[in-house]
Structure formats: structure tokens, C-alpha cells
Amino acid sequence: MFDTVLVANRGEIAVRVIRTLRALGVRSVAVFSDADADARHVREADTAVRIGPAPASESYLSVERLLEAAARTGAQAVHPGYGFLAENAAFARACAEAGLAFIGPSPEAISLMGDKIRAKETVKKAGVPVVPGSSGSGLTDAELIAAAREIGVPVLLKPSAGGGGKGMRLVRDTEVLADEIAAARREARASFGDDTLLVERWVDRPRHIEIQVLADGHGNVVHLGERECSLQRRHQKIIEEAPSVLLDPATRAAMGEAAVQAARSCGYRGAGTVEFIVPGGDPSSYYFMEMNTRLQVEHPVTELVTGLDLVEWQLRVAAGERLPYAQEDITLTGHAVEARICAEDPSRGFLPSGGTVLSLREPQGDGVRTDSGLSEGTEVGSLYDPMLSKVIAYGPDRPTALRRLRAALADTVTLGVQTNAGFLRRLLAHPDVVAGDLDTGLVEREAAGLVPAEVPEEVYEAAAAVRLAGLAPAGEGWTDPFSVPSGWRLGGTPRPVGFSLRVADPVEYTPRGTHTVTADRVAVTLDGVRHTFHRAADWIGRDGDAWHVRDHDPVAASLTGSAHAGADSLTAPMPGTVTVVKVAVGDEVTAGQSLLVVEAMKMEHVISAPHAGTVSELDVTPGTTVAMDQILAVITPAEETE
């Protein structure tokens, strides 16, 4: 076993890897950018090295700086985590050349399976069924369009070089193929430095099931069962579980053997995942999609049902050990479900969010595990992936695991940063999810019904209670009656104290219930029902949901912002960076025309013209960093320019 391992990653995965290193008595080295100088993974490691400024391209993606950090700290091995350079063959090769063990597969296996086109051809030769699609690499836009027309819509555009849903586009109309290909190439180039695309047949109402494999350097390969990953949004997994309710023992064994053959076909070593698309109505008709040559975000559910620490076995295999297990030794016990907590706002169309973590409560205990990189004071910005943590629940059966996870999400508090925890809790209670009737489109179909249409009155009541408490006089002894916020007036009827508040739209609210306010809690009783919230600064939360309640000053609001503020203004929907500007001041535009692109947390958002008119203001250029709701441009309506 190694003495010192450098973890070439950040956030929750770095914390997770460090936990196993500590259990094995291995010294851990963390790396950090300027944005992460006080991050949790830095504090929990045995030592830490600064590797550059905040942009990932100058820090976490710098092979040279990572290798320098390893040399300075005497590391013998590098664990890449997932994301960043985890599936970068050049990084794995550079580690080997520097005399470092890369805790993952060989550069050749990474390169082969990282190219989705070559990967499909390789596993197909090994007898693994693949999804029908285009063949050949480096296809032009015209060739991709021709392949899509031949396959027949709907089709899925996929970057050949990457995963995680980045750059993927589902196309149901051939007329928009050119635009979708351009967008997919742009996102693939930004995410992976390679805009090569392939096109595949889209399987309607599919299920996404993946098989965890483990292989050593002595020719031994086993699979550790499957994970159901069908609950996705924008091709990004948000809930995963093991095992899948769809598979019977025979299908599980067949898919497992196919995954083992896929791993053998590329000489795989370490922990990896073979992903399959499965028609929900016919589980026996499964197709290979891709192989992820790294640890997966969702690996904890496999750990809980097998009792194996996958990070430990990554380390042992990289150190040259043999797997002590044959396939018949692997058993699945109980059920585990994982929820990904992301910095995003469901009420704003799941746009990325950011801010400072003011109050944090992460569930742990019987049957519950949280993998997290958060701590109070953590700054969540727009430079890195939006996933903050994972909450995992285990039980003897699926209903127990689901109940425990819903309860754990209700007990999750992350005030200061908007997250999807409340949305996930409601999703897990959806009848189809409870019944196990899943497919990759379920979340998109049902999302609107899982986001509250209005801010509950008790939220405003709680916010008003906090403000009333702040107005109350402090100290003991005589109290000036004029200082008590009772609404009392000399010679007149008391007038209730009201507040102008804003969560979404401004609201004039007069409290009408009873309240108890402490430093970190506020309880209100309305119509005989008591509601209890966590609180921190202007944030209150409960059951995984959180609201940022601000005071609203109508006069000040009317005096700030652009002279054209209102329906004519285009504002940033999220904190991020402007990557594309397609217009200039004076240009005439049509309603719905794409004008700008804002990127945050590896997600693009297109800003379109609200109506026909002329660009009268343009306050940004490519590369401009913007805050949420910052005015980007103003479109003067056509009738006003005549």
C-alpha cells in the first residue's frame, strides 16, 4: 500500500477519498485553487498544496501543477476522483512518466473507452449489444445530419470525448438539427476540449442501468451488480439506487457478464462502470451506451449493498493486489438510494445558484450517510460543478430506504445557497417513483408539479416574525411604549405592523399569527397549525426547501437599474460568465432570436429577444462575469423605434 496519495480533485469527492485514505493509514495530500483555500477537503487532508487561481484551467486541470504538487509532497500515487482529469489519458500517462501510480485504468483503456465511437466498435466485437447509430469518427455537420435522417428522429447527439450529460442533445425535429449540432459542439468543446459528435437512436421511455465492475492487474474481473439511474434531468442523474427493481436474477447476470466482457475488451484495471440503455417494456433488450473509466458519483449505493469500499479497492488494485473475490462471492443485500444535492433553484427553472453557506445541517445516523464537501462559510460560485453533496439511505428493502432518504432530505439544511433538496424529497414521494415505474423522461414530465407554485403564507409570516423580533426593545426595566412594535397609536385604533417583503415578487405582508424566534429557529402558528423553520440572516428553511426573504423598498427599486428596466431588459438568469454575444448596439432583432449565451457550472443558458426591436443597450462582452439578475442588454420594441 502507498504511504502518500495526492487527491487531484475537490469538494465532496476529495473529502470522500481522504476518508478512506485515513482509514487505511495513508497520508493524504489535497490540492486547491484560490477559490478553495479554506475548503473542507483542504482542512481534512494531512497536507494541502495551492495549485493556482480559481479558473479550473489554471488549477485543477493543470497537469504540470498537479505533478509539481505530488513531487513536493512525496506522493507515490494520484487519485483523480471524478470529473476534471479523471478520464484524461494524457494525465494518466504523465503520472506514469513521473513515477506516480495513477489510481485508475491504463491510459490506453481510458483513451479507448473515452472515445465513444471506438468504444462501441470494441465492445461490439466482444459480443456486447450496442445502440444503433452513426459509425466513424470526425463526422462533419452534414454527415451527422445525414446519419440522423437515416436513423430517423428522435435521435440523441452525444460528444464522443465526454460524459455526464454535457453536450447531449435530444432532437425530435430534423429542421433544428443544424442548430442543435452547433450547440452540442460548443458545449463539448468547452467541457472536454473536443467537439467530435456521434448520433444514436433515441429509445423512448428508456431506463438507464449501469453495472459496476472491478478488475485487478492479474486478469480478474467481477461485477458488483447494477445501479438504476433513470431519474435524470437534462441527461444528468439526480437519484440513483441499487439494485434496480426492473431486473430479475437472470437479466442481472446477463448484463453483468456483458459488462465484464466490455471491461476485458479494453484490458481494464480498477473500478469502472458500464452503462446500458434498457427499454422499460423489455429489460432483456439492453444496449451498451458507454463505459466510465473512473469512480462514479453514485458509487455509495453499491458500497452499501455489497459492503465493499470501492475507493479502498481502487487503491489496492493500483498497488498491485489481486482481487480476493470470485463472481459467486459477490452478494447484494438490502437496498440503497442516493440523492444529489445541487446548487440550483427549482423555482427558477433549475438555474444554477450560488452564495455563502450560512447554516448547514447534514443528516447522518442509522441507515443514512452524507458525502459532502460543504462547511459553514463555504462560498459556492459559478466556476465548478453545481453538485454540493450526496445524501444516501440504506434499508433492508426499497420502501425503507426511500422513507429514510425522504426523512434525511427533510432534515437537510443549506441556508445561504438555494438547492434542490426539497424538490428531490417530493420526487421520491411521487407514486411512479415509489412503485419503481421509472424512465429517463419521468422527471422532466413531472417537474412542474413538484415545484410549489406559490410561496406559502407561513414563509412570509416567519420572515415578518423575525423582523418584529428585531424591532422589539432590548434590555430590562422600563420600556418606552412607543418603542414596542405593537401598532399602537395615540387616540386611535391600533394599526397592525406590516412589512414589504420579497421572495419572488414583492409582497406587502401583515403578520397575523403567534411567533417564537430564537437565534437559529423561528416558529409561527397560523390557523392553529405550527410551522417551524431554520433561519440564518435573511434565509429561512424547512423540509429541504429554503427561501431568501429580503426587504423590499419600492422607492429604491424604482431608482436603480437601467432606465429601460422592465420587460425590455434582458437580465442574467444566474451568476456566471457571458460566453457568446451575437448582436451589437443598433442591431434589429426578431422575437425569440438568440442574442447571448451565459454559462455557469458547466451549463449554458441562451438569452433570447423578448420581442422584435432594436438593441439599444449592450453591457457585456464575451468573458464578462455577471451576477444573477444583472442587466445584460435592452431591446427597445419595434413600435417605439418608428
Side-chain angles (χ1 to χ4, degrees):
M1 183 50 66
F2 310 107
D3 293 324
T4 303
V5 172
L6 181 140
V7 183
N9 220 290
R10 65 180 296 278
E12 60 89 17
I13 181 55
V15 174
R16 162 71 190 91
V17 173
I18 290 167
R19 184 171 71 234
T20 290
L21 292 174
R22 184 181 302 115
L24 293 174
V26 177
R27 179 170 171 260
S28 59
V29 178
V31 293
F32 63 92
S33 71
D34 289 342
D36 284 338
D38 192 40
R40 179 173 167 184
H41 76 276
V42 175
R43 297 196 306 271
E44 294 199 5
D46 293 306
T47 190
V49 180
R50 177 189 177 273
I51 54 171
S57 60
E58 301 176 52
S59 51
Y60 296 107
L61 292 174
S62 172
V63 173
E64 180 182 359
R65 293 181 180 181
L66 290 166
L67 295 182
E68 287 176 355
R72 288 170 56 189
T73 56
Q76 300 157 306
V78 173
H79 194 300
Y82 43 75
F84 292 135
L85 296 173
E87 293 179 284
N88 186 296
F91 180 49
R93 192 171 293 111
C95 287
E97 292 171 354
L100 295 164
F102 180 80
I103 301 173
S106 68
E108 293 75 21
I110 294 174
S111 179
L112 175 57
M113 286 300 165
D115 183 332
K116 291 186 177 63
I117 296 169
R118 291 175 59 208
K120 286 180 63 176
E121 294 170 350
T122 300
V123 303
K124 185 177 181 179
K125 291 177 182 177
V128 180
V130 300
V131 181
S134 60
S135 61
S137 185
L139 299 184
T140 65
D141 289 8
E143 289 170 330
L144 286 169
I145 291 173
R149 292 183 186 278
E150 182 178 347
I151 296 167
V153 291
V155 295
L156 189 65
L157 297 170
K158 297 175 65 174
S160 177
K166 304 296 189 301
M168 289 174 60
R169 292 288 194 280
L170 172 59
V171 184
R172 296 184 180 275
D173 182 356
T174 56
E175 297 301 315
V176 300
L177 269 168
D179 288 342
E180 291 297 310
I181 289 171
R185 285 199 193 279
R186 186 168 60 245
E187 190 173 347
R189 190 164 51 247
S191 297
F192 314 116
D194 183 344
D195 65 0
T196 303
L197 301 179
L198 67 152
V199 60
E200 291 181 342
R201 175 187 296 165
W202 173 256
V203 179
D204 270 321
R205 299 183 76 89
R207 295 179 77 134
H208 184 149
I209 294 178
E210 60 189 29
I211 306 291
Q212 177 72 58
V213 295
L214 195 57
D216 63 22
H218 305 279
N220 302 304
V221 186
V222 296
H223 72 83
L224 308 182
E226 80 282 1
R227 295 186 288 256
E228 171 88 55
C229 304
S230 298
L231 292 177
Q232 305 177 8
R233 206 183 58 75
R234 296 174 183 160
H235 306 296
Q236 293 275 8
K237 306 165 190 174
I238 56 177
I239 300 287
E240 302 100 349
E241 60 182 296
S244 168
V245 297
L246 181 67
L247 304 190
D248 57 27
T251 307
R252 176 174 296 113
M255 289 182 69
E257 179 58 26
V260 167
Q261 292 306 316
R264 290 189 185 281
S265 73
C266 66
Y268 199 80
R269 182 190 68 235
T273 304
V274 181
E275 305 203 3
F276 294 92
I277 196 78
V278 182
D282 183 13
S284 63
S285 300
Y286 51 86
Y287 302 105
F288 170 89
M289 288 195 301
E290 61 186 0
M291 183 175 188
N292 289 299
T293 55
R294 54 171 168 81
L295 196 66
Q296 291 279 88
V297 175
E298 56 272 22
H299 75 274
V301 296
T302 295
E303 293 184 321
L304 290 173
V305 298
T306 62
L308 299 176
D309 183 326
L310 293 183
V311 175
E312 176 182 349
W313 278 105
Q314 284 187 297
L315 292 161
R316 293 190 180 280
V317 166
E321 292 189 25
R322 291 178 178 269
L323 291 177
Y325 310 105
Q327 189 61 58
E328 57 269 21
D329 298 322
I330 305 299
T331 58
L332 309 182
T333 304
H335 203 94
V337 191
E338 173 184 289
R340 301 189 187 194
I341 307 299
C342 296
E344 61 185 16
D345 188 349
S347 68
R348 293 173 63 96
F350 296 91
L351 291 175
S353 62
T356 303
V357 178
L358 304 173
S359 178
L360 180 67
R361 178 173 173 174
E362 297 180 315
Q364 300 283 355
D366 187 27
V368 175
R369 161 180 164 181
T370 298
D371 285 8
S372 170
L374 293 178
S375 56
E376 290 189 358
T378 295
E379 287 284 344
V380 178
S382 60
L383 291 170
Y384 309 126
D385 191 271
M387 195 179 74
L388 305 176
S389 63
K390 303 173 304 194
V391 182
I392 313 104
Y394 173 81
D397 50 43
R398 187 171 186 267
T400 302
L402 287 174
R403 285 196 303 271
R404 285 178 173 170
L405 185 52
R406 289 196 296 266
L409 290 170
D411 203 32
T412 298
V413 177
T414 314
L415 299 184
V417 179
Q418 195 63 257
T419 77
N420 61 342
F423 173 85
L424 295 176
R425 180 180 57 82
R426 288 184 287 274
L427 173 61
L428 289 165
H430 189 283
D432 287 346
V433 175
V434 173
D437 185 12
L438 315 176
D439 66 80
T440 58
L442 187 152
V443 176
E444 299 287 3
R445 293 194 304 271
E446 303 296 331
L450 300 172
V451 178
E454 298 179 349
V455 178
E457 182 187 357
E458 58 266 24
V459 170
Y460 291 109
E461 186 76 23
V466 172
R467 284 152 177 76
L468 280 173
L471 294 175
E476 300 179 355
W478 182 82
T479 298
D480 180 354
F482 289 95
S483 68
V484 178
S486 63
W488 179 84
R489 293 186 299 164
L490 181 65
T493 303
R495 176 178 295 171
V497 177
F499 300 91
S500 185
L501 304 172
R502 183 186 184 97
V503 176
D505 297 322
V507 170
E508 296 294 328
Y509 187 80
T510 301
R512 62 183 182 86
T514 58
H515 323 113
T516 302
V517 179
T518 64
D520 61 351
R521 301 289 180 96
V522 54
V524 300
T525 301
L526 281 176
D527 303 322
V529 179
R530 182 180 175 87
H531 307 271
T532 302
F533 297 85
H534 298 272
R535 61 170 289 239
D538 287 337
W539 288 77
I540 58 174
R542 67 172 181 192
D543 294 340
D545 290 312
W547 296 269
H548 188 193
V549 187
R550 290 155 285 184
D551 295 314
H552 176 69
D553 185 337
V555 176
S558 68
L559 298 176
T560 59
S562 166
H564 302 279
D568 302 343
S569 298
L570 301 178
T571 59
M574 57 193 181
T577 302
V578 176
T579 56
V580 178
V581 177
K582 300 181 178 180
V583 292
V585 172
D587 285 358
E588 294 185 0
V589 299
T590 58
Q593 180 179 334
S594 172
L595 308 181
L596 307 101
V597 177
V598 177
E599 180 183 301
M601 297 178 175
K602 304 179 183 178
M603 171 183 167
E604 282 190 347
H605 190 84
V606 177
I607 310 297
S608 302
H611 46 243
T614 303
V615 180
S616 56
E617 269 188 43
L618 184 63
D619 300 330
V620 295
T621 58
T624 300
T625 300
V626 295
M628 188 168 68
D629 295 329
Q630 178 178 329
I631 292 177
L632 308 176
V634 175
I635 310 300
T636 301
E639 59 269 19
E640 294 184 16
T641 63
E642 296 176 354

